[in-house]
């Protein structure tokens, strides 16, 4: 079974290679599964795309996409979804906080029959400010967007191909991906996973950006 790994990349020239290589090693332990990668360079300011091209040359199952400007995390993921061919699609980050070692937990859970599974971090390695803004964002999405009761969304997820096929029909700019999951299916679950410390740099996805997207999508979907 083919699993597509879609990774939005921004200023990750020093971490994306390790992310891919660790994921490849993880799939060697999963009989019956093979992986492909769709790496989307979201107009990085460093040598990220050069690293992606190097990976494309090394591995035939790596695809690289280079965006013409910075479109943001969720838009970059959407761009990558259009090139994902797997029976399952996994979304993860480029900084090893969403760690390849946790992928078997996502696959194991979706094999129970769910359409979408979000990794749920029982304990995070974020700093105080990041934890605070994450809690506020979670509160907003909980009260402003309809979602299955008790489900905790995250940026480490797996979905079935039909969910991907439905989501890529969405053509509006500045989307909030989790909202599209909720609109596509209610057959969603969480699985507990470990959260790892960021290896390079700092997060580029701010609460301000998330707040704008949530507010806009709340208005759009509740007209």
């Amino acid at each position: 079974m083919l699993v597509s790994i879609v990774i939005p990349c921004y200023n990750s020239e020093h971490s994306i290679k390790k992310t891919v290589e660790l994921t490849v090693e993880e799939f060697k332990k999963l009989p019956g599964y093979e992986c492909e990668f769709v790496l989307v360079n979201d107009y990085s300011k460093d040598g990220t795309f050069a690293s992606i091209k190097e990976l494309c040359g090394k591995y035939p199952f790596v695809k690289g996409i280079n965006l013409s400007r910075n479109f943001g995390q969720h838009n970059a993921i959407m761009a990558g979804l259009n090139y994902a061919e797997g029976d399952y699609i996994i979304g993860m980050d480029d900084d090893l906080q969403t760690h390849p070692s946790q992928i078997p937990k996502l696959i194991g859970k979706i094999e129970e029959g769910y359409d979408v599974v979000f990794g749920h971090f029982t304990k995070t390695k974020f700093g105080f400010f990041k934890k605070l803004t994450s809690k506020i964002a979670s509160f907003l999405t909980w009260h402003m967007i309809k979602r299955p009761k008790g489900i905790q969304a995250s940026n480490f997820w797996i979905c079935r191909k039909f969910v991907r096929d439905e989501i890529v029909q969405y053509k509006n700019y500045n989307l909030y991906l989790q909202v599209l999951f909720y609109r596509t299916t209610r057959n969603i679950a969480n699985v507990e996973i470990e959260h790892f410390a960021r290896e390079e740099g700092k997060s580029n996805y701010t609460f301000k950006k998330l707040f704008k997207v949530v507010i806009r999508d709340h208005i759009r979907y509740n007209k």
Side-chain angles (χ1 to χ4, degrees), residues 21-204:
E21 291 180 343
L22 287 177
T23 303
V24 170
E25 291 303 311
E26 204 62 46
F27 270 87
K28 290 179 180 179
K29 308 172 190 175
L30 294 172
Y33 295 93
E34 57 182 328
C35 64
E36 69 164 9
F37 295 85
V38 184
L39 308 179
V40 185
N41 179 41
D42 194 18
Y43 204 67
S44 298
K45 299 176 181 178
D46 62 359
T48 295
F49 192 58
S51 295
I52 290 174
K53 288 193 291 184
E54 181 181 343
L55 288 165
C56 289
K58 183 176 181 180
Y59 299 108
F61 48 80
V62 175
K63 305 172 184 176
I65 300 171
N66 194 29
L67 300 184
S68 61
R69 66 178 180 83
N70 182 263
F71 285 91
Q73 183 187 48
H74 288 243
N75 288 298
I77 295 172
M78 178 65 89
L81 288 176
N82 283 277
Y83 294 88
E85 300 179 17
D87 303 288
Y88 293 149
I89 297 90
I90 289 176
M92 60 189 292
D93 290 341
D94 58 355
D95 57 10
L96 292 171
Q97 285 191 295
T98 54
H99 202 273
S101 64
Q102 306 300 295
I103 286 176
K105 296 179 182 179
L106 291 175
I107 293 176
K109 191 66 177 180
I110 202 169
E111 288 285 18
E112 294 179 14
Y114 295 102
D115 299 329
V116 177
V117 175
F118 290 109
H120 174 51
F121 305 119
T122 54
K123 188 175 182 180
T124 68
K125 303 292 185 178
F126 294 135
F128 171 78
F129 181 73
K130 176 63 176 178
K131 288 181 179 178
L132 176 63
T133 55
S134 294
K135 286 182 179 180
I136 295 172
S138 179
F139 176 84
L140 288 171
T141 54
W142 177 261
H143 288 277
M144 299 177 65
I145 299 171
K146 294 180 181 179
R147 64 177 177 176
K149 187 176 181 180
I151 294 297
Q152 299 295 320
S154 75
N155 54 349
F156 199 12
W157 49 263
I158 185 171
C159 73
R160 295 183 182 273
K161 186 177 186 298
F162 88 87
V163 175
R164 191 294 307 251
D165 292 345
E166 181 66 26
I167 286 176
V168 296
Q169 302 303 314
Y170 183 85
K171 301 304 180 184
N172 287 323
Y173 174 67
N174 277 341
L175 56 103
Y176 186 45
L177 194 65
Q178 282 76 1
V179 173
L180 302 182
F181 283 137
Y182 301 147
R183 287 172 57 84
T184 301
T185 179
R186 310 299 279 183
N187 187 25
I188 302 175
N190 279 128
V191 65
E192 292 188 357
I193 59 175
E194 184 179 353
H195 191 254
F196 286 67
R198 186 181 181 94
E199 292 214 348
E200 296 282 344
K202 61 182 181 178
S203 175
N204 295 286

Side-chain angles (χ1 to χ4, degrees), residues 207-217:
F207 171 71
K208 182 179 179 180
K209 293 179 182 178
L210 177 61
F211 181 80
K212 287 181 178 179
V213 173
V214 171
I215 292 293
R216 182 182 54 252
D217 283 349

